Amino acid sequence: MPKPEVDPTVQLELSVDRSSPVPLYFQLSQQLEAAIEHGTLTPGSLLGNEIELAARLGLSRPTVRQAIQSLVDKGLLVRRRGVGTQVVHSQVKRPLELSSLYDDLEAAGQRPATRVLVNRLVPASAEVAAALGVAEDSDVHRVERLRLAHGEPMAYLCNFLPPGLIDLDTDQLETTGLYRMMRSAGITLHSARQSIGARAATKEEAERLAEEAGAPLLTMQRVTFDDTGRAVEFGTHTYRPTRYSFEFQLLVRT
Amino acid sequence: MPKPEVDPTVQLELSVDRSSPVPLYFQLSQQLEAAIEHGTLTPGSLLGNEIELAARLGLSRPTVRQAIQSLVDKGLLVRRRGVGTQVVHSQVKRPLELSSLYDDLEAAGQRPATRVLVNRLVPASAEVAAALGVAEDSDVHRVERLRLAHGEPMAYLCNFLPPGLIDLDTDQLETTGLYRMMRSAGITLHSARQSIGARAATKEEAERLAEEAGAPLLTMQRVTFDDTGRAVEFGTHTYRPTRYSFEFQLLVRT
DNA sequence: GAGTGGTCTAGACCACTTA
DNA sequence: AAGTGGTCTAGACCACTCT
């Protein structure tokens, strides 16, 4: 009876296309990630050593390392000196993302709807001006939206954006998410500072979300920065906690 | 009048110690990070090119790149092809962390106090068993704690841990955080899956936190995994939203 | 065209783990 | 002692941005 292969990657038909413009390390990391996602590489399985893997693919060791490292950074693999590289045991795989409510809902198959309540220029309040780094009372966009799922209100979103950044077409706001609009306008999102809390609904808030006054609401405030460090969005959101909660995975910084 | 230096790193007396066991790239990244933290490298300033920097320090380019890349991953630097490497403009610098309430409070100078309400072995409920990956009705540790700041209750923490992992000394639980105890027991935390929501307080919850029944509460559930993929902790926490909110910075995955 | 970062190579030596 | 990942070198060519 033949001894089973120790290195599961040998059965994985890995290959790279050197004529492709896609970087070699990226081609490799995508194939490995797909194999993990797909269950071909099972949790706990030990990848073969880097040098042998590099030789088999006709790549240099640093290139293979770069591919593996990117998956380690995503939390999919764990490396141990003297031991090897293993697929992480835990079932949780989704990377941490700057979540977009619209995308979240769409991914969950909830077919979200958006109703734009307000879309106009207003003078910046002190709080908005500080968050966006603009002068107080200068013009900023104010967008108020109600997000619905299955016809039921789920969240009330109030956002402020500096002027001249993107074209805030109301129709487009109703059919896609704000982040997606910013990305297609060539804005590279970089980081966001978030604060998540809770409070009792005021009468107006309750009415908007079809709740009762005093009902608990989940709140989120966020300032988003692009890769030049500009604040590109300040948002104050309220969610119905019976309909929505924040789910995410954190990687421990090392 | 002499033209000012374009590359601010030349005035930075960077140096590496080749006799140190600390990796060279790490020595460099720490010096750069300190300079950014300290304000010596101001937001928006352009670092000199990698090759020149490598030559000045007597390092190879890949080593310098590794140092710079680690700061890019932390969100402190931004690289642009054809342009250069810049210190990020935004004022936010704190990295995303797996937050420990105890550490958060201590960092905020709130001198937290902990009262251990329960610390014993209990049979695992279905929910706990699923979260920790143990058999239903098998023994698990149950720890209930009340976290206070300035003498006021701030959060009620209920945690479950698999048996035999760490010594859950009650005195130690009152003077430090659970995460810190796990780390000193040699457990390497790796990732956590969190869910943050809100709900109205039940009568018992309200009493524990000195709130009224029906008051809004901020809730957090978390499963934490170590680097072998074992679930090492499952927690169900409730926070007084007037006293606590979750603040964190996200980096956009690219 | 000049300068930047992005990618890649083919080696090397070391530290750690396991047996 | 053998095998692993961790670090490091000294080059190379390419793609992109700016002037």
Side-chain angles (χ1 to χ4, degrees):
Chain A
M1 196 162 145
K3 192 182 165 198
E5 272 296 337
V6 190
D7 174 3
T9 63
V10 301
Q11 310 175 7
L12 216 58
E13 57 187 57
L14 296 167
S15 64
V16 293
D17 174 8
R18 301 196 86 102
S19 67
S20 161
V22 178
L24 301 176
Y25 78 89
F26 193 75
Q27 293 183 37
L28 177 54
S29 71
Q30 279 196 315
Q31 289 176 46
L32 290 173
E33 183 168 2
I36 293 169
E37 190 70 32
H38 188 262
T40 316
L41 285 178
T42 55
S45 56
L46 210 53
L47 271 61
N49 75 54
E50 301 170 346
I51 293 160
E52 193 267 342
L53 188 54
R56 188 143 47 84
L57 289 165
L59 297 173
S60 69
R61 186 183 166 205
T63 302
V64 171
R65 273 187 70 80
Q66 193 175 0
I68 292 175
Q69 187 59 47
S70 72
L71 298 181
V72 172
D73 292 340
K74 280 191 184 178
L76 294 175
L77 297 177
V78 177
R79 286 210 262 219
R80 282 171 226 261
R81 205 192 293 224
V83 179
T85 304
Q86 281 182 305
V87 179
V88 109
H89 273 94
S90 69
Q91 53 286 64
V92 285
K93 282 165 193 167
R94 280 220 333 234
L96 171 70
E97 294 183 38
L98 180 55
S99 68
S100 148
L101 178 56
Y102 189 90
D103 291 345
D104 286 353
L105 293 174
E106 200 174 50
Q110 301 239 16
R111 287 185 298 101
T114 305
R115 193 178 306 153
V116 174
L117 306 176
V118 172
N119 181 9
R120 63 157 186 267
L121 285 172
V122 299
S125 69
E127 182 188 25
V128 171
L132 292 181
V134 300
E136 205 171 326
D137 293 327
S138 69
D139 276 353
V140 294
H141 289 284
R142 178 189 181 113
V143 177
E144 289 181 42
R145 292 168 296 167
L146 199 62
R147 190 83 85 198
L148 309 119
H150 303 304
E152 281 276 318
M154 162 169 271
Y156 165 77
L157 318 171
C158 178
N159 290 88
F160 297 89
L161 289 85
L165 208 59
I166 65 171
D167 177 32
L168 283 166
D169 180 68
T170 297
D171 289 343
Q172 214 174 338
L173 278 168
E174 302 219 327
T175 54
T176 186
L178 190 53
Y179 276 14
R180 213 176 286 178
M181 285 174 68
M182 291 203 276
R183 272 191 252 260
S184 27
I187 296 171
T188 308
L189 301 178
H190 176 262
S191 64
R193 184 120 186 86
Q194 292 197 342
S195 173
I196 297 176
R199 66 158 183 269
T202 65
K203 216 175 99 187
E204 286 88 14
E205 286 174 329
E207 266 170 29
R208 281 193 297 244
L209 292 172
E211 291 273 356
E212 316 235 316
L217 292 184
L218 191 57
T219 65
M220 191 257 278
Q221 278 198 43
R222 172 162 65 190
V223 188
T224 310
F225 301 91
D226 74 357
D227 58 357
T228 69
R230 278 185 310 190
V232 293
E233 178 244 354
F234 170 59
T236 307
H237 300 177
T238 55
Y239 303 83
R240 295 176 76 180
T242 52
R243 305 248 157 198
Y244 190 74
S245 61
F246 293 95
E247 314 259 343
F248 50 96
Q249 182 187 354
L250 290 184
L251 299 180
V252 176
R253 78 187 183 90
T254 45
Chain B
M1 198 164 145
K3 192 182 167 197
E5 273 297 338
V6 189
D7 175 2
T9 63
V10 301
Q11 310 174 8
L12 216 58
E13 58 190 54
L14 294 168
S15 63
V16 292
D17 173 9
R18 300 197 88 100
S19 69
S20 161
V22 178
L24 301 177
Y25 78 89
F26 194 75
Q27 294 183 35
L28 177 54
S29 72
Q30 278 197 317
Q31 289 176 46
L32 290 174
E33 183 168 1
I36 293 169
E37 192 69 33
H38 188 263
T40 316
L41 285 178
T42 55
S45 56
L46 210 53
L47 271 62
N49 75 55
E50 301 170 346
I51 294 160
E52 194 268 342
L53 187 55
R56 188 143 47 85
L57 289 165
L59 297 173
S60 70
R61 187 185 165 202
T63 302
V64 171
R65 272 187 72 80
Q66 193 174 0
I68 291 176
Q69 188 58 47
S70 72
L71 298 181
V72 171
D73 292 341
K74 280 191 183 174
L76 294 176
L77 297 177
V78 176
R79 289 210 261 220
R80 281 172 228 261
R81 203 191 291 222
V83 178
T85 305
Q86 281 181 305
V87 180
V88 111
H89 273 94
S90 69
Q91 54 285 62
V92 285
K93 281 168 197 166
R94 280 219 334 235
L96 171 70
E97 293 182 39
L98 181 54
S99 67
S100 147
L101 178 55
Y102 189 90
D103 291 345
D104 285 354
L105 293 174
E106 199 174 51
Q110 301 238 18
R111 287 187 296 100
T114 305
R115 193 178 306 154
V116 175
L117 306 177
V118 172
N119 182 9
R120 63 156 185 269
L121 284 172
V122 299
S125 69
E127 183 188 23
V128 170
L132 292 181
V134 301
E136 206 171 326
D137 294 326
S138 68
D139 276 354
V140 293
H141 289 284
R142 179 190 181 111
V143 177
E144 289 181 42
R145 291 168 295 167
L146 199 61
R147 191 81 88 198
L148 309 117
H150 303 303
E152 281 277 318
M154 161 170 273
Y156 164 78
L157 318 171
C158 178
N159 290 87
F160 298 90
L161 288 84
L165 207 60
I166 65 172
D167 177 33
L168 283 167
D169 180 69
T170 297
D171 288 345
Q172 216 174 339
L173 278 168
E174 301 219 328
T175 53
T176 186
L178 189 54
Y179 275 15
R180 213 177 286 178
M181 286 174 67
M182 291 203 276
R183 271 191 254 260
S184 26
I187 297 171
T188 307
L189 301 178
H190 176 262
S191 64
R193 184 123 185 85
Q194 292 196 342
S195 174
I196 297 176
R199 65 158 181 269
T202 66
K203 217 175 100 190
E204 285 87 16
E205 288 174 328
E207 266 169 29
R208 281 193 297 245
L209 292 173
E211 291 272 355
E212 314 234 319
L217 292 184
L218 192 57
T219 66
M220 193 257 278
Q221 279 198 43
R222 172 163 63 190
V223 187
T224 310
F225 301 91
D226 75 356
D227 58 356
T228 69
R230 279 184 311 190
V232 293
E233 176 244 358
F234 170 58
T236 307
H237 301 177
T238 55
Y239 303 84
R240 296 176 76 181
T242 52
R243 306 248 156 200
Y244 190 75
S245 61
F246 292 95
E247 314 257 344
F248 49 96
Q249 182 187 353
L250 290 184
L251 299 179
V252 177
R253 79 187 182 91
T254 45

